[in-house]
Amino acid sequence: MSALTGLAEECDKTSTGRVQHTLLWKSFVLVKLPSLIEKLELKKSNKFKNGNLLYSEENKYDCHECVINQLFGFKGLINACNQLVEDDIFQAADITVDILRVCLNRKLVRKEFVNRFLELEYEIDGGDTVGLTAGNILDDPSRQIIDHLVSTATTSFLHQESRVETIFKLMSEWSTKLEVAPLATLCRSLMDVPTLLDIIHLYRHPSEFISSLERLCNTWVSKADSKESLLHDYENFGTIFLFLISVIDRYEFHKNIKDVLHDDEGFCYKWLIQSGSTYDIDSLDQEKSIITRLVSTLSDASQEIPEDLIRISPRSLIELSPTIFKEALKKVVTEDIEIAMINLEPLFTHFVKPHMSYALIGVCQSLCDDILFKGKSSISFKVLNRLILEEAFPNSIIKLIGNKLLSIFDIISENGSLPSIEDTENIIRNKIAKIMMVPNWRNTKHPAEKLYYRFKMMFKSIIYGGRHKPSLIYEIFLSENYFNNDINTEYEYITGNGGAANNLFDEFIINPSSWLGPHHLDIELFRNCLEINGPRTFVDLIVEEVLSAGKKGMGIRAAELGASLLTLPIYYTWNEYLHPKTLIKIFFMDFLPSILEKKIDMYTQSYSIGIMTLSILMMIKKDTQNVGGVDVSIDEIVGINNNVDGTNDILMMDAIISEERIGGMEGVGGTKVEIEDFTKFVLSIFKQDRDNADSDNIDSKVIQNGSKKIDDKVKNESEPKLINGPAKGFIDALLIHEDIVPELKSLVNK
């Protein structure tokens, strides 16, 4: 139901990017979830067999069919999912039919049950019948069949898993055999359908692409005899190299590059850690003459490129291209800028050719760095404009550096280095936005520029989403004084309808739906907030929002989101300070004690914090509750290992049904988060509170009729202040699962 809610919200959007997201959600609903249910059922049946217990297929069918009947009762949700969801021939599709088909194919429901919903009798699919298997494609690796494989992998949900496996097999086989022509075709098709990479990510870790491609890019040498074949080989190599870089960039593997790339002496590793670097030509030996000759040859359109320069390794070309441009610009630096651009035209003409254009990735990075230091007056800005506006400039490079290019324009425009209106600037921006599928470059910035405030807005939009109108969420935000006058008027924004907004409230009134959605969870925002603001601020923001929501009756929802953000690895890095175990320890040691003793005003607040704490404790407990007949361990849910050769380094739900233990919540330093940490840092304050109450001096007892009676004031003073005060909600929440912390019950009942 939650997955269908996500699909329904994406179906409600009409932009190209949203349609791509719809495909990802539909793959999750129709392939990933049924696959997990099937595997859980298999593990459950094996457990029953090993324990000599009777496993009933009928019970399995009854359970799933009952659930599907209930799910289909939410007509509004189902109808919302059918918007803009089309099948292969662009006819309106019914999500219920798709769900029934995939469940029948995985033998989760009975055929008779499915046929009750369908007008025509549906037979179980017999497998992929269109010849899109690895063996068939290896025999005939034509562009048409490769493109068909990639395009149908996003929409053929019954065969999606098998086609993803076929893509991996083809990539591995062609990389091993150094067959760059079909491999480049496959890489090119994958770059044209970026959503497919995310769909593949549902089943296999994207780093599995990298190992085979890394070996090829480090060692491949063309064996072509003719010049034409050689240039074609170099073009194919460039496509493969840019695909490798795009996968590393898309999934932020550059932050863990030593764990992703296996050869730290290879070309790929060395280039990634110094991409865009230029060399002092006088410090080069063998390469000096090559660069000098290339600059001379490429700067003269009348000259033919000598055979030995044509055969220069594409790896050398990628590495030396920034220096080639640097030396070419030095030759024309004293000339008038217009004359200089004319003299550089032959260089541009050569470098945008397919067999050399891939090397422009480092050139553009170097030019961007130069512009940052010298502004628009630098000829580098003109050169960058000229290259990007070239029709033959690779789109794959724009996708890699598009955000950096837009940032460059923003920075130098704000500093006055660029005129406020420049035709080429707008053309470049629009080209970049179109290739990167950004609806409008003017709306790429979030109105609240500071991560601190954007974090709070996103958190509230998730908590109150679906329960309040966006305007009410904004009013809640303003009522809590998160914006002061300076922040309200500090920025001026361009709105979607072309108007100017002087502050955040004006922008919201003009176009409230342009930046605030009811359910959309921006993980990138939370990740940036964690990285830039640090773990303590990150935990502080979450706690503050949970306490705030607790006052308004939304504490449970806030607690669930807060616990998720603290326990799940939202950041792909092995920096132990950004690891969940560090966040949880900070929460236990530095926040919970002070919150319970000083910041709790209402029972609902402490209850919300208690639910959040309970969720965290359940996640870190080694032996969790038995779920649906399957023993689930935190080690299997949140497995973090110091390698990326499989799925261990990223949260994937397949880990739940993994037979092998992946490893506990250990950080780089090898320390763990245990239930004992909670007992030591949090329960100790309740124990101390209880001990203080027991040892209170009650000498002021009043003797009445021969018996001791404590007056009300003294009695109240001698009772535990925490357990019987506003913090009681915290204890009540934890007692929902009293077996998580056994000491808790005895402490309360003492």
Side-chain angles (χ1 to χ4, degrees):
M1 187 173 175
S2 297
L4 285 176
T5 302
L7 174 61
E9 291 186 349
E10 292 301 337
C11 289
D12 194 35
K13 313 297 192 302
T14 56
S15 66
T16 303
R18 292 299 184 184
V19 173
Q20 300 297 321
H21 292 159
T22 299
L23 289 174
L24 182 59
W25 272 104
K26 198 172 183 187
S27 296
F28 184 63
V29 171
L30 297 178
V31 187
K32 185 64 175 180
L33 289 181
S35 172
L36 289 171
I37 295 170
E38 182 184 32
K39 292 174 182 177
L40 286 168
E41 284 291 351
L42 178 62
K43 184 168 184 178
K44 186 176 180 180
S45 66
N46 291 336
K47 181 181 178 181
F48 273 86
K49 291 174 183 177
N50 294 336
N52 296 320
L53 300 174
L54 180 63
Y55 177 76
S56 172
E57 289 282 339
E58 292 298 317
N59 288 342
K60 178 187 76 171
Y61 291 138
D62 290 342
C63 175
H64 295 152
E65 290 168 5
C66 177
V67 169
I68 289 176
N69 272 324
Q70 294 180 40
L71 188 63
F72 288 177
F74 294 92
K75 297 296 184 182
L77 179 61
I78 297 297
N79 291 336
C81 289
N82 290 331
Q83 290 180 287
L84 300 180
V85 180
E86 300 172 336
D87 59 17
D88 293 341
I89 56 175
F90 302 101
Q91 294 177 340
D94 188 345
I95 194 69
T96 60
V97 175
D98 293 332
I99 291 174
L100 290 170
R101 285 176 176 173
V102 298
C103 289
L104 180 60
N105 279 344
R106 295 183 183 276
K107 299 181 180 179
L108 300 176
V109 297
R110 287 168 285 215
K111 181 180 176 182
E112 296 77 16
F113 174 79
V114 172
N115 289 336
R116 290 208 307 267
F117 288 88
L118 305 180
E119 295 180 5
L120 300 176
E121 188 169 317
Y122 178 73
E123 297 291 341
I124 294 179
D125 187 79
D128 200 336
T129 59
V130 295
L132 293 179
T133 62
N136 292 337
I137 298 176
L138 288 171
D139 293 337
D140 179 26
S142 64
R143 167 137 198 179
Q144 290 75 16
I145 194 171
I146 293 174
D147 287 345
H148 185 58
L149 169 70
V150 170
S151 62
T152 57
T154 59
T155 56
S156 181
F157 301 105
L158 292 178
H159 310 299
Q160 192 171 83
E161 282 182 291
S162 63
R163 291 187 181 175
V164 167
E165 291 303 314
T166 297
I167 290 172
F168 270 95
K169 289 177 182 177
L170 293 175
M171 188 161 289
S172 176
E173 186 76 15
W174 287 331
S175 297
T176 302
K177 294 182 178 179
L178 303 180
E179 297 181 15
V180 293
L183 181 58
T185 302
L186 178 59
C187 292
R188 195 176 295 112
S189 297
L190 289 171
M191 283 193 287
D192 290 339
V193 189
T195 303
L196 181 55
L197 288 176
D198 294 330
I199 291 175
I200 290 173
H201 195 182
L202 292 174
Y203 316 108
R204 301 282 290 270
H205 194 274
S207 65
E208 294 182 47
F209 274 132
I210 294 176
S211 57
S212 58
L213 296 179
E214 179 195 3
R215 288 192 299 271
L216 183 144
C217 290
N218 284 343
T219 61
W220 176 82
V221 178
S222 175
K223 298 179 181 179
D225 297 326
S226 65
K227 176 181 176 181
E228 184 179 353
S229 298
L230 179 70
L231 298 183
H232 190 59
D233 277 355
Y234 283 4
E235 178 185 351
N236 289 330
F237 175 87
T239 299
I240 296 168
F241 174 74
L242 290 178
F243 175 74
L244 171 64
I245 301 303
S246 68
V247 172
I248 291 174
D249 178 77
R250 187 178 185 87
Y251 299 104
E252 300 181 346
F253 290 144
H254 55 276
K255 297 175 181 177
N256 318 301
I257 200 64
K258 287 187 177 181
D259 296 319
V260 176
L261 298 181
H262 302 291
D263 183 5
D264 56 6
E265 294 297 323
F267 163 74
C268 293
Y269 180 85
K270 290 183 176 180
W271 184 85
L272 279 166
I273 62 176
Q274 57 185 17
S275 59
S277 299
T278 58
Y279 301 100
D280 182 357
I281 194 170
D282 294 328
S283 66
L284 302 175
D285 296 324
Q286 181 180 355
E287 296 88 351
K288 180 175 181 178
S289 62
I290 295 177
I291 293 175
T292 304
R293 291 177 63 203
L294 277 171
V295 171
S296 176
T297 303
L298 297 177
S299 299
D300 188 349
S302 62
Q303 286 192 41
E304 285 288 332
I305 301 179
E307 185 71 18
D308 62 326
L309 291 183
I310 290 178
R311 289 192 170 274
I312 184 176
S313 164
R315 289 183 287 273
S316 297
L317 184 63
I318 293 170
E319 187 176 8
L320 298 178
S321 289
T323 306
I324 293 172
F325 267 75
K326 173 187 171 184
E327 293 300 314
L329 294 180
K330 283 170 64 176
K331 292 178 63 175
V332 299
V333 70
T334 58
E335 299 175 355
D336 179 78
I337 193 164
E338 298 300 330
I339 297 175
M341 291 299 294
I342 294 174
N343 291 335
L344 290 172
E345 192 63 29
L347 182 68
F348 306 147
T349 303
H350 281 296
F351 259 95
V352 294
K353 290 179 180 178
H355 65 277
M356 296 181 70
S357 60
Y358 56 86
L360 289 173
I361 175 67
V363 173
C364 291
Q365 291 174 330
S366 177
L367 291 172
C368 286
D369 293 338
D370 192 46
I371 293 168
L372 278 174
F373 288 102
K374 299 179 182 178
K376 189 211 171 187
S377 59
S378 167
I379 191 175
S380 298
F381 182 78
K382 288 288 186 181
V383 172
L384 187 62
N385 278 8
R386 171 66 182 81
L387 289 173
I388 296 174
L389 290 175
E390 177 63 47
E391 186 176 351
F393 188 85
N395 288 347
S396 54
I397 294 181
I398 291 181
K399 290 177 182 178
L400 285 169
I401 64 172
N403 287 324
K404 186 172 186 177
L405 292 172
L406 291 175
S407 298
I408 290 291
F409 287 130
D410 290 337
I411 291 171
I412 57 182
S413 294
E414 292 169 3
N415 291 339
S417 301
L418 284 177
S420 58
I421 299 176
E422 184 172 310
D423 292 339
T424 57
E425 181 192 350
N426 288 334
I427 294 172
I428 291 174
R429 285 182 182 270
N430 291 332
K431 179 178 181 178
I432 294 171
K434 181 179 179 181
I435 292 173
M436 297 181 68
M437 293 189 292
V438 177
N440 189 324
W441 66 265
R442 293 180 180 87
N443 290 330
T444 56
K445 282 188 174 183
H446 195 290
E449 295 270 342
K450 295 184 178 180
L451 283 174
Y452 183 90
Y453 303 103
R454 291 175 58 192
F455 181 102
K456 289 178 174 292
M457 284 297 294
M458 175 55 66
F459 203 101
K460 288 187 185 299
S461 72
I462 299 301
I463 297 171
Y464 297 100
R467 289 160 173 77
H468 294 285
K469 294 180 180 179
S471 58
L472 293 180
I473 301 175
Y474 192 78
E475 289 172 8
I476 291 171
F477 198 81
L478 291 178
S479 69
E480 294 178 352
N481 297 318
Y482 289 137
F483 288 121
N484 56 39
N485 293 330
D486 293 335
I487 296 173
N488 270 336
T489 57
E490 183 178 353
Y491 303 103
E492 183 172 302
Y493 307 106
I494 303 293
T495 61
N497 59 6
N502 292 325
N503 55 49
L504 294 178
F505 186 75
D506 289 343
E507 157 63 12
F508 188 84
I509 294 300
I510 295 171
N511 194 7
S513 62
S514 63
W515 55 280
L516 184 61
H519 289 291
H520 172 61
L521 181 61
D522 189 351
I523 290 295
E524 185 70 22
L525 169 60
F526 291 129
R527 185 182 302 151
N528 290 340
C529 191
L530 172 59
E531 180 184 24
I532 295 172
N533 291 334
R536 285 190 58 84
T537 300
F538 186 76
V539 175
D540 188 26
L541 289 171
I542 292 173
V543 169
E544 187 176 337
E545 289 306 310
V546 173
L547 289 173
S548 173
K551 290 183 176 180
K552 300 177 177 67
M554 300 301 296
I556 305 300
R557 192 171 171 88
E560 292 170 350
L561 177 57
S564 298
L565 291 174
L566 291 184
T567 56
L568 302 184
I570 62 173
Y571 195 78
Y572 307 146
T573 179
W574 307 126
N575 181 347
E576 62 177 319
Y577 297 106
L578 304 181
H579 192 274
K581 68 102 184 176
T582 301
L583 301 180
I584 295 171
K585 279 214 165 186
I586 289 174
F587 178 63
F588 284 169
M589 294 173 60
D590 300 338
F591 283 89
L592 266 184
S594 62
I595 290 170
L596 295 171
E597 290 182 319
K598 301 176 183 178
K599 294 187 178 181
I600 298 294
D601 298 322
M602 299 171 61
Y603 177 90
T604 53
Q605 285 182 299
S606 63
Y607 189 82
S608 302
I609 292 293
I611 292 296
M612 178 176 167
T613 305
L614 177 64
S615 300
I616 293 172
L617 291 173
M618 292 178 68
M619 287 291 285
I620 65 176
K621 186 173 176 62
K622 293 303 177 184
D623 298 313
T624 62
Q625 301 294 317
N626 184 279
V627 181
V630 180
D631 290 323
V632 183
S633 169
I634 182 58
D635 294 344
E636 296 172 338
I637 297 176
V638 187
I640 306 296
N641 253 340
N642 249 4
N643 65 73
V644 284
D645 57 358
T647 61
N648 293 353
D649 65 316
I650 188 169
L651 178 71
M652 298 186 72
M653 289 186 65
D654 280 331
I656 296 178
I657 48 84
S658 172
E659 294 292 342
E660 298 180 1
R661 292 175 69 84
I662 298 173
M665 292 188 69
E666 297 188 12
V668 180
T671 59
K672 294 182 179 181
V673 180
E674 303 281 4
I675 298 293
E676 288 71 21
D677 292 316
F678 171 78
T679 304
K680 176 181 178 182
F681 297 114
V682 183
L683 279 195
S684 60
I685 67 171
F686 287 95
K687 292 178 180 178
Q688 183 179 1
D689 183 49
R690 169 68 71 181
D691 293 340
N692 291 340
D694 291 342
S695 62
D696 275 348
N697 188 347
I698 56 173
D699 290 338
S700 55
K701 296 171 185 176
V702 179
I703 306 297
Q704 187 174 14
N705 296 328
S707 62
K708 296 180 180 179
K709 181 179 179 181
I710 306 174
D711 65 32
D712 291 338
K713 181 178 180 181
V714 175
K715 181 178 180 180
N716 291 335
E717 289 177 353
S718 64
E719 288 182 347
K721 295 186 176 66
L722 284 177
I723 296 177
N724 295 316
K728 186 177 187 301
F730 178 79
I731 299 296
D732 290 345
L734 294 180
L735 287 176
I736 294 174
H737 289 284
E738 57 188 40
D739 58 317
I740 297 292
V741 186
E743 304 96 315
L744 187 64
K745 191 174 182 180
S746 61
L747 178 66
V748 174
N749 295 333
K750 185 175 178 182

